[in-house]
Amino acid sequence: MDDRVLVYRGADQPDMSVISPEADVWQHIKIPQRYLASNWPIKYSSLSSDGRLVAIAGRRGLVHYSSTSGRWKSFGDEAQEQSFSVRGGMLWFHHVLIVATESSKSYQLRLYSRDLELTGQNVLHREILTSPVVILSLVDNSLLVYTLDNTLYHYLIVPTPDSIRLHLCGSITFNGIIASPTAVRMLSWMIPTSQKHLGDPVDDLSVATVLMVVGGQLILLRPCKAADQEVKYDLQVFADRIEFCWIHLRGIGALENSLWAYDAHGMRIWLNALSMEKRASEDVDNLDVKESVNIPLDFYPLSVLMDKGIIIGAEHEIATRMNLPFVMFRHTTSSHLFLQHILLYYLGTKQVKNAVQFASHYRKLVYFSHALEVLLHTVVEADAAQDESDNKVLPIVVDFLDHFDVCLDVVVGCARKTEVDRWRRLFDIVGNPKTLFEECLSAGKLKTAGSYLLVLHTLEQLDSHSTDAIRLLRCAVEEKEWDLCKELLRFLHSIDDTGGALRHAVAELQLEEMPV
């Protein structure tokens, strides 16, 4: 795979393609051989927010690709390509590539346009730096640049009539806070809403809360002004052994201001941990942001698809052949639903209203009922392992499910995947399955009613004449649900080896007289 870039396209696919391991969700983009031959290995890559532009950089120079045109652009003059190396990263701002470069011990930020040829003469803007860049970060139109001399620079990206430039708004040093600048692996910040809309960007650094991953520690630096008006920071450590993290500041309401981090075992989530307004008046010394959710994963996560409720990632597979003296590796795409984990947190803390609001964002997903079914199954199994008087979550989950039309489907789907000895407790809370069967008939959910028939049979609640099965069969015939009719006839045959129940149903509905 060293000769190509793989771009995940599952977010643009239908819902089922995202969760199907067989779906082809990767775009393979071959890297120009000329560039690879001179500059292997690849050290940096960058993907634009819309997924259309890709940039990569090896030992020297860089190349970039547009999925719209299907073309790579590279330096026509090899001397210009070999005159610099990328150090500190690259970021796309719309069609402009922001690059941190090093050339003969001089350090620059360069802006290249995708629309122009890659040459030294077509650099849109150059910003001279006194120290190598460690990491770049882009938040809206603010560029954050953290350098090896432990300084954070804030630039505003300013479009001009014929070009684009960087405007330095301010800088601040983290001496005494960050001991080793090279250990910083992730950087972002949050600005209070009032400052973002009404304030001067020059003041952003003095009010921004800075988020970093430093040597495996996920830390938050909250600003506070000392008596001399100098900005100081209170350091808060969220977690250790963190490899990388995501922040979600706006979008899905219940997930706004949430923090997601991966620690090699699973995804750790802090809900509403980054809310600026909520914590503005709180005493930082008494501030204790507790981890909300921990999701174990058996694959390596690559991204969180917030709008689809899925964590996607990759894992490797090993293949061996008797006629080959080596082992072959290939990667496969894996995914994990996170909806049920967030819902379980809200319901476990009796926040039913928040759970309903959160779930409402996802109710149109084709696998929404599956996520609710997994939630209910998890709670039923946990309930069985505890004393009934100790577990108060199951009634809350059932109350939550009543807010959604798929409730009846979810309950019977969960029951059929659960041990029969758990059913008594489940239906004590949900309601008599005979009543639920009647609700399905009234609502016209014939297939769901068919599933409840199996439950009624297992619990020995069907009468000797199979009246309920015949009623459902009559409805299925009227609605011309022939597949369901076939299943019901097979069911009647299975519950009576003599065939009496089947003959009775056929005679009752006069099925033999129906035209073929």
Side-chain angles (χ1 to χ4, degrees):
M1 293 298 181
D2 286 349
D3 64 342
R4 69 195 65 188
V5 176
L6 271 62
V7 180
Y8 180 78
R9 299 296 186 191
D12 304 326
Q13 303 297 321
D15 296 341
M16 290 306 296
S17 297
V18 179
I19 61 176
S20 173
E22 287 80 24
D24 185 11
V25 292
W26 293 94
Q27 179 186 6
H28 294 242
I29 305 172
K30 296 278 284 188
I31 301 172
Q33 287 299 317
R34 186 195 69 80
Y35 182 78
L36 272 182
S38 305
N39 301 290
W40 187 89
I42 302 302
K43 295 184 176 182
Y44 294 96
S45 65
S46 179
L47 181 68
S48 62
S49 58
D50 61 5
R52 296 181 180 180
L53 302 177
V54 179
I56 61 169
R59 290 187 299 109
R60 311 293 292 182
L62 61 93
V63 291
H64 52 70
Y65 173 87
S66 169
S67 60
T68 304
S69 66
R71 292 179 57 245
W72 286 93
K73 283 189 177 180
S74 56
F75 283 91
D77 185 345
E78 189 172 351
Q80 289 188 1
E81 176 184 87
Q82 297 297 310
S83 66
F84 73 93
S85 62
V86 176
R87 179 174 179 179
M90 303 182 292
L91 294 170
W92 284 102
F93 180 76
H94 301 301
H95 70 288
V96 175
L97 182 63
I98 304 171
V99 186
T101 68
E102 177 182 11
S103 178
S104 302
K105 298 300 180 181
S106 66
Y107 312 101
Q108 296 180 1
L109 295 175
R110 297 183 185 179
L111 274 58
Y112 294 95
S113 172
R114 168 62 198 179
D115 302 329
L116 300 177
E117 295 301 319
L118 268 177
T119 68
Q121 292 73 33
N122 286 338
V123 176
L124 302 179
H125 179 83
R126 298 175 190 265
E127 189 75 17
I128 307 299
L129 301 173
T130 58
S131 182
V133 174
V134 175
I135 194 168
L136 299 175
S137 182
L138 191 63
V139 183
D140 297 325
N141 64 336
S142 290
L143 176 66
L144 307 180
V145 181
Y146 180 72
T147 57
L148 195 59
D149 60 0
N150 218 353
T151 302
L152 175 64
Y153 295 91
H154 171 214
Y155 291 93
L156 210 59
I157 304 174
V158 182
T160 63
D162 56 353
S163 185
I164 192 169
R165 64 184 180 85
L166 298 179
H167 173 70
L168 179 61
C169 293
S171 63
I172 193 167
T173 180
F174 287 143
N175 290 333
I177 301 175
I178 306 299
S180 176
T182 56
V184 176
R185 301 176 59 186
M186 179 270 176
L187 167 68
S188 188
W189 75 358
M190 287 72 66
I191 303 291
T193 304
S194 57
Q195 171 66 21
K196 187 181 300 182
H197 292 262
L198 303 174
D200 188 339
V202 173
D203 300 324
D204 284 356
L205 268 176
S206 62
V207 297
T209 298
V210 181
L211 181 71
M212 287 181 165
V213 174
V214 184
Q217 283 193 324
L218 179 59
I219 66 172
L220 209 60
L221 300 175
R222 300 184 184 274
C224 60
K225 288 190 176 180
D228 57 359
Q229 295 300 306
E230 181 185 354
V231 178
K232 296 185 180 297
Y233 286 93
D234 290 304
L235 188 148
Q236 181 182 4
V237 179
F238 273 86
D240 289 317
R241 301 177 183 176
I242 299 299
E243 297 192 17
F244 53 86
C245 69
W246 297 269
I247 61 175
H248 184 70
L249 298 181
R250 50 186 180 271
I252 307 299
L255 297 180
E256 286 187 351
N257 302 309
S258 61
L259 177 61
W260 302 60
Y262 178 67
D263 66 354
H265 297 289
M267 193 70 73
R268 304 172 66 176
I269 306 171
W270 294 261
L271 295 174
N272 208 31
L274 305 177
S275 175
M276 302 291 295
E277 281 67 26
K278 177 183 175 182
R279 305 181 185 280
S281 60
E282 295 184 12
D283 184 359
V284 177
D285 293 334
N286 298 324
L287 200 58
D288 183 19
V289 181
K290 294 183 179 179
E291 180 180 321
S292 306
V293 180
N294 193 314
I295 305 176
L297 296 176
D298 56 3
F299 60 87
Y300 199 87
L302 299 176
S303 184
V304 181
L305 306 182
M306 296 292 180
D307 59 331
K308 294 184 181 292
I310 284 177
I311 301 167
I312 63 105
E315 58 182 332
H316 70 271
E317 288 184 349
I318 301 175
T320 59
R321 293 183 181 178
M322 295 297 293
N323 59 340
L324 294 178
F326 55 84
V327 176
M328 294 181 292
F329 291 85
R330 73 183 186 96
H331 83 274
T332 58
T333 307
S334 299
S335 61
H336 186 91
L337 276 170
F338 66 73
L339 301 184
Q340 66 272 18
H341 298 281
I342 305 293
L343 289 172
L344 186 57
Y345 164 76
Y346 281 128
L347 298 173
T349 53
K350 301 181 180 180
Q351 301 180 58
V352 178
K353 183 178 179 180
N354 287 340
V356 172
Q357 290 176 344
F358 171 73
S360 296
H361 288 283
Y362 300 96
R363 65 193 314 162
K364 293 184 179 179
L365 294 174
V366 296
Y367 44 81
F368 176 66
S369 59
H370 171 69
L372 297 186
E373 193 175 306
V374 173
L375 167 69
L376 181 58
H377 184 270
T378 302
V379 175
V380 168
E381 292 298 317
D383 184 272
Q386 302 179 23
D387 188 277
E388 292 183 5
S389 60
D390 294 336
N391 197 325
K392 303 294 193 297
V393 180
L394 183 55
I396 297 174
V397 172
V398 172
D399 178 52
F400 159 77
L401 292 176
D402 284 338
H403 289 81
F404 301 95
D405 296 336
V406 296
C407 175
L408 293 171
D409 305 82
V410 170
V411 170
V412 73
C414 173
R416 295 184 63 181
K417 296 179 178 65
T418 307
E419 297 292 335
V420 176
D421 59 3
R422 313 272 202 269
W423 288 10
R424 181 187 64 81
R425 169 65 172 161
L426 173 61
F427 288 107
D428 281 347
I429 303 297
V430 177
N432 192 310
K434 182 68 166 63
T435 304
L436 302 180
F437 172 79
E438 297 294 343
E439 290 182 15
C440 290
L441 280 183
S442 301
K445 295 186 173 184
L446 303 185
K447 292 183 179 180
T448 307
S451 297
Y452 276 103
L453 266 184
L454 297 175
V455 175
L456 292 173
H457 172 65
T458 304
L459 297 178
E460 300 180 349
Q461 292 189 18
L462 289 178
D463 59 31
S464 58
H465 299 292
S466 302
T467 306
D468 292 327
I470 293 175
R471 289 169 57 209
L472 178 58
L473 182 57
R474 186 188 306 277
C475 293
V477 171
E478 292 174 354
E479 296 296 327
K480 298 183 180 181
E481 294 279 357
W482 306 123
D483 288 339
L484 179 58
C485 291
K486 182 173 63 176
E487 293 298 326
L488 289 172
L489 293 173
R490 186 181 292 116
F491 168 75
L492 288 168
H493 177 70
S494 68
I495 64 175
D496 184 0
D497 293 339
T498 66
L502 179 59
R503 286 192 295 271
H504 175 68
V506 171
E508 181 79 15
L509 300 180
Q510 300 178 347
L511 296 181
E512 291 182 337
E513 301 177 9
M514 292 184 63
V516 179

